[in-house]
Amino acid sequence: EPEVTQTPSHQVTQMGQEVILRCVPISNHLYFYWYRQILGQKVEFLVSFYNNEISEKSEIFDDQFSVERPDGSNFTLKIRSTKLEDSAMYFCASRDRGGLNEQFFGPGTRLTVL
Amino acid sequence: AQSVTQPDIHITVSEGASLELRCNYSYGATPYLFWYVQSPGQGLQLLLKYFSGDTLVQGIKGFEAEFKRSQSSFNLRKPSVHWSDAAEYFCAVGLYSGGGADGLTFGKGTHLIIQP
C-alpha cells in the first residue's frame, strides 16, 4: 500500500540554524500539507500546497517557514532560523484530487532545537 | 473559525469492555469529520471519516462513529476493546472548498488506556 515517507525521523539542531524536513507524498496525490505537534499538545496545521503554490497557511507559518516541491516527488519544509519553540514532531500529509480531504499522514520527523 | 473539543484527556477501559470517545465541533455548516489514531512513536492513521449520508460510519479495527447534527458531535465507539487499542485518538474537522486544499483542525486528543 502506498504511503507517505519522511526523512529524517529525528533531527537535532542548534538554535538559529536552518533545517530542511523532507517528505515524499503518495505518488498520484496533488495536495500536500505540513502539520506540527508540540510534545503533549494537539496536532496543528501549518500549510497546504497545491499546483506549486501555497493554498492556505496558519498563523504559525510565519516568514521563518517555507515550503517547496523541488522535483516531482519531494515536498520540503524549511525553517530558516530555528527557535527553541520549534521543537516538535512535524507531519507531512497528502491527498489526491478526489479524496475530499482524506489526508494520509507520514510517520513524522521529530525536531529538537537545542 | 472551526474548533474541535475532545472533553476527555484520558480514558481507562478494561479489555473487552465497550468504549466511547467524545468529540464536539463548532462550525456554521457541516464539516467533514475524521477520527485518527496515533500509537506511541507513530504517525496518524485514519480510522474513519464522515462526509455525508448515513450518519453511522464504520471504520477500520472495529471502530464506528455516529454523526449527530443536533448535538454537533461525532463520537467514536467500539463494542469491545483490545489491549492493542491503547493509543492517542484525535478527532478532526476539515472543509472542502472545490479544488482547493484545506488544513484539518484537530482536537487535543484522548489518551486511551486499556486495563487487563
Side-chain angles (χ1 to χ4, degrees), chain B residues 13-17 19 61 63 78-87 89 112-115:
Chain B
V13 178
S14 298
E15 190 169 14
L19 169 70
K61 304 184 180 186
F63 285 93
K78 187 169 184 178
S80 176
V81 298
H82 185 261
W83 65 267
S84 60
D85 294 324
Y89 290 81
L112 176 63
I113 301 165
I114 306 296
Q115 279 183 337

Side-chain angles (χ1 to χ4, degrees), chain A residues 31-33 35 45 47-49 55-56 95 101-103, chain B residues 2 32 34 93-105:
Chain A
Y31 301 88
F32 313 111
Y33 307 81
Y35 294 82
F45 168 71
V47 66
S48 58
F49 191 86
S55 303
E56 183 187 7
R95 71 172 177 94
N101 227 357
E102 180 177 343
Q103 298 174 26
Chain B
Q2 62 218 37
Y32 298 111
F34 308 85
V93 302
L95 299 176
Y96 179 75
S97 58
D102 291 289
L104 298 179
T105 299

